[in-house]
Short mmCIF file of all heavy atoms in Angstrom, two decimals:
data_model
loop_
_atom_site.label_atom_id
_atom_site.label_comp_id
_atom_site.label_asym_id
_atom_site.label_seq_id
_atom_site.Cartn_x
_atom_site.Cartn_y
_atom_site.Cartn_z
N LEU Q 1312 2.59 6.17 7.97
CA LEU Q 1312 2.20 7.57 7.98
C LEU Q 1312 3.10 8.37 8.93
O LEU Q 1312 3.35 7.96 10.05
CB LEU Q 1312 0.77 7.70 8.48
CG LEU Q 1312 -0.33 7.40 7.45
CD1 LEU Q 1312 -1.67 7.49 8.13
CD2 LEU Q 1312 -0.26 8.37 6.32
N LEU Q 1324 -5.23 -4.27 7.09
CA LEU Q 1324 -4.24 -4.77 8.00
C LEU Q 1324 -5.77 -5.60 8.79
O LEU Q 1324 -6.16 -4.59 7.75
CB LEU Q 1324 -4.39 -4.07 7.58
CG LEU Q 1324 -4.60 -3.83 7.98
CD1 LEU Q 1324 -4.53 -2.59 7.26
CD2 LEU Q 1324 -4.59 -4.04 7.60
N GLY Q 1393 -0.67 -7.88 13.06
CA GLY Q 1393 -1.23 -6.54 12.83
C GLY Q 1393 -1.50 -5.88 14.17
O GLY Q 1393 -1.41 -6.52 15.23
N VAL Q 1394 -1.84 -4.60 14.14
CA VAL Q 1394 -2.19 -3.85 15.34
C VAL Q 1394 -3.56 -3.22 15.11
O VAL Q 1394 -3.82 -2.64 14.05
CB VAL Q 1394 -1.14 -2.77 15.66
CG1 VAL Q 1394 -1.62 -1.84 16.77
CG2 VAL Q 1394 0.19 -3.42 16.05
N VAL Q 1395 -4.43 -3.35 16.09
CA VAL Q 1395 -5.78 -2.77 16.01
C VAL Q 1395 -6.00 -1.82 17.17
O VAL Q 1395 -5.25 -1.82 18.14
CB VAL Q 1395 -6.86 -3.87 16.01
CG1 VAL Q 1395 -6.66 -4.84 14.85
CG2 VAL Q 1395 -6.87 -4.63 17.33
N TRP Q 1396 -7.06 -0.99 17.05
CA TRP Q 1396 -7.44 -0.08 18.13
C TRP Q 1396 -8.94 0.07 18.14
O TRP Q 1396 -9.64 -0.36 17.22
CB TRP Q 1396 -6.73 1.26 18.00
CG TRP Q 1396 -6.85 1.94 16.66
CD1 TRP Q 1396 -7.79 2.84 16.25
CD2 TRP Q 1396 -5.96 1.76 15.54
NE1 TRP Q 1396 -7.55 3.24 14.96
CE2 TRP Q 1396 -6.44 2.61 14.50
CE3 TRP Q 1396 -4.81 1.00 15.32
CZ2 TRP Q 1396 -5.81 2.69 13.26
CZ3 TRP Q 1396 -4.20 1.07 14.08
CH2 TRP Q 1396 -4.68 1.91 13.07
N ASP Q 1397 -9.47 0.69 19.21
CA ASP Q 1397 -10.91 0.66 19.48
C ASP Q 1397 -11.77 1.38 18.45
O ASP Q 1397 -12.77 0.84 17.99
CB ASP Q 1397 -11.20 1.27 20.86
CG ASP Q 1397 -10.64 0.42 21.99
OD1 ASP Q 1397 -10.35 -0.77 21.76
OD2 ASP Q 1397 -10.49 0.96 23.12
N ASP Q 1398 -11.41 2.60 18.12
CA ASP Q 1398 -12.26 3.45 17.29
C ASP Q 1398 -11.90 3.28 15.81
O ASP Q 1398 -10.80 3.62 15.39
CB ASP Q 1398 -12.09 4.91 17.71
CG ASP Q 1398 -13.07 5.86 17.01
OD1 ASP Q 1398 -13.77 5.41 16.08
OD2 ASP Q 1398 -13.12 7.03 17.40
N ALA Q 1399 -12.85 2.80 15.01
CA ALA Q 1399 -12.59 2.52 13.60
C ALA Q 1399 -12.27 3.77 12.80
O ALA Q 1399 -11.58 3.70 11.78
CB ALA Q 1399 -13.78 1.81 12.97
N VAL Q 1400 -12.73 4.94 13.24
CA VAL Q 1400 -12.47 6.16 12.49
C VAL Q 1400 -11.29 6.95 13.04
O VAL Q 1400 -10.88 7.96 12.47
CB VAL Q 1400 -13.73 7.07 12.44
CG1 VAL Q 1400 -14.88 6.35 11.78
CG2 VAL Q 1400 -14.12 7.54 13.85
N ALA Q 1401 -10.72 6.51 14.17
CA ALA Q 1401 -9.54 7.18 14.71
C ALA Q 1401 -8.34 6.87 13.83
O ALA Q 1401 -8.20 5.77 13.29
CB ALA Q 1401 -9.27 6.71 16.14
N GLU Q 1402 -7.47 7.85 13.66
CA GLU Q 1402 -6.30 7.70 12.80
C GLU Q 1402 -5.05 7.50 13.65
O GLU Q 1402 -4.86 8.14 14.67
CB GLU Q 1402 -6.13 8.93 11.91
CG GLU Q 1402 -7.30 9.16 10.97
CD GLU Q 1402 -7.09 10.39 10.09
OE1 GLU Q 1402 -6.11 11.13 10.31
OE2 GLU Q 1402 -7.92 10.60 9.19
N LEU Q 1403 -4.21 6.59 13.18
CA LEU Q 1403 -2.92 6.38 13.83
C LEU Q 1403 -1.86 7.10 13.01
O LEU Q 1403 -1.53 6.68 11.91
CB LEU Q 1403 -2.60 4.88 13.93
CG LEU Q 1403 -1.45 4.49 14.88
CD1 LEU Q 1403 -1.51 3.00 15.19
CD2 LEU Q 1403 -0.08 4.83 14.32
N HIS Q 1404 -1.37 8.21 13.56
CA HIS Q 1404 -0.32 8.98 12.90
C HIS Q 1404 1.00 8.63 13.56
O HIS Q 1404 1.26 9.04 14.69
CB HIS Q 1404 -0.59 10.48 13.00
CG HIS Q 1404 -1.90 10.88 12.38
ND1 HIS Q 1404 -2.20 10.64 11.07
CD2 HIS Q 1404 -2.99 11.48 12.93
CE1 HIS Q 1404 -3.41 11.09 10.81
NE2 HIS Q 1404 -3.91 11.60 11.93
N VAL Q 1407 4.60 2.07 13.10
CA VAL Q 1407 4.37 0.79 13.74
C VAL Q 1407 5.40 -0.19 13.20
O VAL Q 1407 5.46 -0.42 11.98
CB VAL Q 1407 2.94 0.27 13.48
CG1 VAL Q 1407 2.72 -1.05 14.22
CG2 VAL Q 1407 1.91 1.31 13.91
N GLU Q 1426 2.02 -1.05 7.74
CA GLU Q 1426 1.46 0.13 7.09
C GLU Q 1426 0.14 0.52 7.75
O GLU Q 1426 -0.79 -0.28 7.81
CB GLU Q 1426 1.27 -0.12 5.61
CG GLU Q 1426 2.60 -0.39 4.91
CD GLU Q 1426 2.45 -0.66 3.44
OE1 GLU Q 1426 1.31 -0.57 2.94
OE2 GLU Q 1426 3.45 -0.97 2.80
N THR Q 1427 0.09 1.72 8.28
CA THR Q 1427 -1.15 2.21 8.88
C THR Q 1427 -2.10 2.57 7.76
O THR Q 1427 -1.70 3.10 6.72
CB THR Q 1427 -0.88 3.45 9.75
OG1 THR Q 1427 -0.30 4.47 8.96
CG2 THR Q 1427 0.04 3.11 10.91
N HIS Q 1428 -3.35 2.23 7.92
CA HIS Q 1428 -4.36 2.62 6.93
C HIS Q 1428 -5.64 2.92 7.69
O HIS Q 1428 -6.16 2.10 8.40
CB HIS Q 1428 -4.56 1.55 5.87
CG HIS Q 1428 -5.23 0.31 6.35
ND1 HIS Q 1428 -4.60 -0.59 7.18
CD2 HIS Q 1428 -6.47 -0.18 6.12
CE1 HIS Q 1428 -5.43 -1.60 7.43
NE2 HIS Q 1428 -6.57 -1.37 6.81
N ASP Q 1429 -6.12 4.14 7.52
CA ASP Q 1429 -7.17 4.64 8.39
C ASP Q 1429 -8.55 4.43 7.77
O ASP Q 1429 -9.20 5.34 7.28
CB ASP Q 1429 -6.94 6.12 8.69
CG ASP Q 1429 -5.57 6.34 9.31
OD1 ASP Q 1429 -5.18 5.53 10.17
OD2 ASP Q 1429 -4.88 7.28 8.90
N ALA Q 1430 -8.98 3.16 7.72
CA ALA Q 1430 -10.35 2.78 7.39
C ALA Q 1430 -10.70 2.87 5.91
O ALA Q 1430 -11.85 2.81 5.57
CB ALA Q 1430 -11.34 3.62 8.20
N ARG Q 1445 -18.74 -3.38 16.25
CA ARG Q 1445 -17.59 -4.26 16.45
C ARG Q 1445 -16.39 -3.82 15.64
O ARG Q 1445 -15.29 -4.32 15.83
CB ARG Q 1445 -17.96 -5.69 16.02
CG ARG Q 1445 -19.06 -6.34 16.82
CD ARG Q 1445 -19.44 -7.71 16.24
NE ARG Q 1445 -18.28 -8.56 16.09
CZ ARG Q 1445 -17.83 -9.02 14.93
NH1 ARG Q 1445 -18.44 -8.70 13.81
NH2 ARG Q 1445 -16.78 -9.82 14.87
N VAL Q 1446 -16.58 -2.91 14.70
CA VAL Q 1446 -15.52 -2.55 13.76
C VAL Q 1446 -14.43 -1.75 14.48
O VAL Q 1446 -14.72 -0.83 15.25
CB VAL Q 1446 -16.09 -1.76 12.58
CG1 VAL Q 1446 -14.99 -1.40 11.59
CG2 VAL Q 1446 -17.17 -2.58 11.87
N ARG Q 1447 -13.17 -2.09 14.20
CA ARG Q 1447 -12.03 -1.44 14.83
C ARG Q 1447 -11.12 -0.82 13.77
O ARG Q 1447 -11.12 -1.22 12.61
CB ARG Q 1447 -11.22 -2.46 15.64
CG ARG Q 1447 -12.03 -3.21 16.67
CD ARG Q 1447 -11.19 -4.26 17.37
NE ARG Q 1447 -12.01 -5.07 18.27
CZ ARG Q 1447 -12.65 -6.18 17.91
NH1 ARG Q 1447 -12.53 -6.63 16.66
NH2 ARG Q 1447 -13.38 -6.84 18.77
N GLY Q 1448 -10.32 0.14 14.20
CA GLY Q 1448 -9.25 0.63 13.36
C GLY Q 1448 -8.12 -0.37 13.34
O GLY Q 1448 -7.96 -1.17 14.26
N ALA Q 1449 -7.28 -0.34 12.29
CA ALA Q 1449 -6.23 -1.36 12.20
C ALA Q 1449 -5.14 -0.93 11.23
O ALA Q 1449 -5.36 -0.15 10.31
CB ALA Q 1449 -6.83 -2.69 11.72
N THR Q 1450 -3.95 -1.48 11.46
CA THR Q 1450 -2.89 -1.40 10.46
C THR Q 1450 -3.18 -2.44 9.39
O THR Q 1450 -4.03 -3.32 9.56
CB THR Q 1450 -1.52 -1.71 11.07
OG1 THR Q 1450 -1.49 -3.10 11.46
CG2 THR Q 1450 -1.22 -0.84 12.27
N ALA Q 1451 -2.45 -2.38 8.29
CA ALA Q 1451 -2.47 -3.49 7.36
C ALA Q 1451 -1.82 -4.69 8.02
O ALA Q 1451 -0.89 -4.54 8.82
CB ALA Q 1451 -1.72 -3.12 6.09
N VAL Q 1465 5.28 1.08 18.76
CA VAL Q 1465 4.49 2.09 18.05
C VAL Q 1465 4.92 3.46 18.56
O VAL Q 1465 4.92 3.70 19.77
CB VAL Q 1465 2.98 1.89 18.29
CG1 VAL Q 1465 2.17 2.96 17.55
CG2 VAL Q 1465 2.54 0.50 17.86
N LEU Q 1483 -1.66 8.62 20.37
CA LEU Q 1483 -1.99 7.35 19.74
C LEU Q 1483 -3.43 6.99 20.04
O LEU Q 1483 -3.98 7.38 21.07
CB LEU Q 1483 -1.05 6.26 20.26
CG LEU Q 1483 0.42 6.41 19.89
CD1 LEU Q 1483 1.27 5.40 20.66
CD2 LEU Q 1483 0.63 6.26 18.40
N PRO Q 1484 -4.09 6.23 19.15
CA PRO Q 1484 -5.47 5.82 19.41
C PRO Q 1484 -5.59 4.98 20.67
O PRO Q 1484 -4.64 4.31 21.08
CB PRO Q 1484 -5.83 5.00 18.16
CG PRO Q 1484 -4.83 5.37 17.13
CD PRO Q 1484 -3.58 5.73 17.86
N ALA Q 1485 -6.75 4.99 21.26
CA ALA Q 1485 -6.99 4.21 22.47
C ALA Q 1485 -7.19 2.73 22.13
O ALA Q 1485 -7.69 2.37 21.06
CB ALA Q 1485 -8.23 4.74 23.19
N GLY Q 1486 -6.79 1.89 23.07
CA GLY Q 1486 -7.06 0.47 22.93
C GLY Q 1486 -6.17 -0.27 21.95
O GLY Q 1486 -6.61 -1.24 21.33
N LEU Q 1487 -4.92 0.14 21.81
CA LEU Q 1487 -4.01 -0.54 20.89
C LEU Q 1487 -3.76 -1.97 21.34
O LEU Q 1487 -3.45 -2.23 22.50
CB LEU Q 1487 -2.67 0.21 20.80
CG LEU Q 1487 -2.69 1.55 20.05
CD1 LEU Q 1487 -1.39 2.29 20.28
CD2 LEU Q 1487 -2.92 1.33 18.56
N ARG Q 1488 -3.90 -2.91 20.40
CA ARG Q 1488 -3.68 -4.32 20.69
C ARG Q 1488 -2.87 -4.95 19.57
O ARG Q 1488 -3.06 -4.63 18.40
CB ARG Q 1488 -5.01 -5.08 20.83
CG ARG Q 1488 -5.91 -4.58 21.95
CD ARG Q 1488 -7.15 -5.46 22.09
NE ARG Q 1488 -6.81 -6.79 22.60
CZ ARG Q 1488 -6.71 -7.09 23.88
NH1 ARG Q 1488 -6.91 -6.16 24.81
NH2 ARG Q 1488 -6.42 -8.32 24.27
N LEU Q 1489 -1.99 -5.85 19.96
CA LEU Q 1489 -1.21 -6.63 19.00
C LEU Q 1489 -1.99 -7.90 18.66
O LEU Q 1489 -2.44 -8.61 19.56
CB LEU Q 1489 0.14 -7.00 19.61
CG LEU Q 1489 1.05 -7.91 18.79
CD1 LEU Q 1489 1.48 -7.23 17.50
CD2 LEU Q 1489 2.27 -8.32 19.61
N GLU Q 1490 -2.15 -8.17 17.37
CA GLU Q 1490 -2.90 -9.34 16.91
C GLU Q 1490 -1.95 -10.28 16.16
O GLU Q 1490 -1.28 -9.87 15.19
CB GLU Q 1490 -4.03 -8.93 15.97
CG GLU Q 1490 -5.01 -7.94 16.57
CD GLU Q 1490 -5.97 -8.61 17.53
OE1 GLU Q 1490 -6.87 -9.34 17.08
OE2 GLU Q 1490 -5.81 -8.39 18.75
N TYR Q 1626 -8.19 -11.97 10.28
CA TYR Q 1626 -7.84 -10.61 10.70
C TYR Q 1626 -9.00 -9.65 10.43
O TYR Q 1626 -9.35 -8.82 11.27
CB TYR Q 1626 -6.58 -10.16 9.96
CG TYR Q 1626 -5.99 -8.85 10.46
CD1 TYR Q 1626 -5.38 -8.76 11.70
CD2 TYR Q 1626 -6.01 -7.71 9.66
CE1 TYR Q 1626 -4.83 -7.57 12.15
CE2 TYR Q 1626 -5.46 -6.51 10.09
CZ TYR Q 1626 -4.87 -6.44 11.33
OH TYR Q 1626 -4.32 -5.26 11.77
N SER Q 1630 -10.30 -9.63 14.18
CA SER Q 1630 -9.55 -8.49 14.71
C SER Q 1630 -10.19 -7.16 14.36
O SER Q 1630 -10.21 -6.24 15.18
CB SER Q 1630 -8.11 -8.52 14.17
OG SER Q 1630 -7.45 -9.71 14.55
N MET Q 1631 -10.73 -7.03 13.13
CA MET Q 1631 -11.28 -5.75 12.68
C MET Q 1631 -12.79 -5.67 12.81
O MET Q 1631 -13.36 -4.59 12.69
CB MET Q 1631 -10.85 -5.49 11.24
CG MET Q 1631 -9.33 -5.39 11.07
SD MET Q 1631 -8.81 -5.08 9.37
CE MET Q 1631 -9.41 -3.41 9.11
#
Side-chain angles (χ1 to χ4, degrees):
L1312 280 176
L1324 100 167
V1394 171
V1395 301
W1396 52 91
D1397 293 342
D1398 187 351
V1400 300
E1402 298 181 352
L1403 194 163
H1404 300 302
V1407 182
E1426 297 179 4
T1427 59
H1428 70 289
D1429 304 318
R1445 297 175 53 243
V1446 181
R1447 305 176 186 89
T1450 67
V1465 180
L1483 294 170
L1487 288 169
R1488 299 185 69 87
L1489 176 64
E1490 303 283 287
Y1626 189 70
S1630 301
M1631 298 180 68

